[in-house]
Amino acid sequence: MQIQVNSDNHIESSIRLEEWVRTTVESTLERYEEDLTRVEVHIRDENGDKPGPHDIRCQMEARPKGHQPISVTHKADSLDQAVDGAAVKLDHALEHLFGKLRSKRGGVTTLSSVRGNESDNPDALLQEEFLEKDDALHG
């Protein structure tokens, strides 16, 4: 997963800032690493040099393989809050997207395809049965 960090003229970009943003995005979205090609992060100070509430804006756009990009925005008083908030929103949006895709494909079927052919492994069949029951209970 490639992560691009962009900032406007009012937010001083540095290697340290970019590394921090990348680390935040990677740790929040690590479970989707194989499913995403790129995440673009845009950080902007909406009021420029003037102070104001919720004037730091962070927009994140994820590009899931084979699907349309998903974009979220979070505004906050600080850069940390804006980036963290956008990362959490993007995590929820991706969870929603992949959850819908799993349910369209039958839920456990996609898990089975990821794990490989389970008919040769009785433990895998028991695990599949457990996951189906767990989905029915929580699902």
Side-chain angles (χ1 to χ4, degrees):
M1 167 175 62
Q2 181 185 18
I3 300 171
Q4 282 184 293
V5 180
N6 306 292
S7 60
D8 73 358
N9 296 341
H10 300 287
I11 295 179
E12 188 176 326
S13 183
S14 66
I15 292 173
R16 188 173 173 196
L17 171 67
E18 289 184 22
E19 286 178 357
W20 174 77
V21 171
R22 280 192 187 96
T23 300
T24 301
V25 172
E26 285 173 351
S27 65
T28 305
L29 304 179
E30 68 182 327
R31 64 184 167 152
Y32 304 112
E33 187 172 355
E34 297 297 317
D35 300 312
L36 301 176
T37 57
R38 184 171 76 224
V39 176
E40 291 186 30
V41 181
H42 299 275
I43 305 167
R44 182 184 165 133
D45 185 339
E46 301 246 299
N47 295 336
D49 294 332
K50 298 177 281 183
H54 300 300
D55 67 339
I56 305 295
R57 176 178 182 253
C58 180
Q59 178 184 3
M60 290 188 187
E61 181 180 276
R63 298 182 181 257
K65 293 176 182 173
H67 299 282
Q68 293 294 313
I70 295 176
S71 180
V72 298
T73 301
H74 189 77
K75 292 182 182 181
D77 293 333
S78 73
L79 188 60
D80 293 4
Q81 292 170 339
V83 171
D84 287 337
V88 168
K89 281 184 179 180
L90 188 55
D91 179 48
H92 291 304
L94 290 168
E95 185 178 325
H96 181 75
L97 169 71
F98 291 120
K100 281 175 58 174
L101 292 173
R102 275 194 305 272
S103 67
K104 280 185 179 178
R105 293 183 190 144
V108 175
T109 306
T110 56
L111 292 173
S112 300
S113 64
V114 169
R115 289 191 300 259
N117 186 359
E118 297 174 340
S119 60
D120 300 333
N121 183 348
D123 288 339
L125 293 173
L126 288 172
Q127 184 177 7
E128 183 175 337
E129 183 179 335
F130 169 79
L131 291 171
E132 287 174 347
K133 287 180 181 177
D134 190 54
D135 271 355
L137 288 174
H138 298 99

